[in-house]
Amino acid sequence: MAQFDDIRLEAWIERAAIMEYDAGLSREEAERRALLDVLATYGWPHPTDGP
């Protein structure tokens, strides 16, 4: 997730881990669903976001 700022990246990692562990999803599926959730919550980062 090279285009994600720290907030989005941390949220994505955390949500994917929770989905993988608690829901029993494969890592790939958990990461996919977490990505959709993060984008729905924070939107796609703009080139001017971040450092």
Side-chain angles (χ1 to χ4, degrees):
M1 299 276 100
Q3 295 179 339
F4 271 12
D5 57 23
D6 291 342
I7 292 171
R8 287 175 177 92
L9 181 60
E10 184 176 339
W12 176 68
I13 291 170
E14 181 179 2
R15 291 169 194 205
I18 291 168
M19 289 180 190
E20 184 178 1
Y21 183 78
D22 287 348
L25 299 176
S26 68
R27 172 176 259 165
E28 182 178 277
E29 181 64 15
E31 289 177 351
R32 185 188 71 78
R33 291 185 186 194
L35 176 60
L36 294 174
D37 189 41
V38 168
L39 292 176
T41 302
Y42 297 100
W44 191 259
H46 297 284
T48 58
D49 287 352

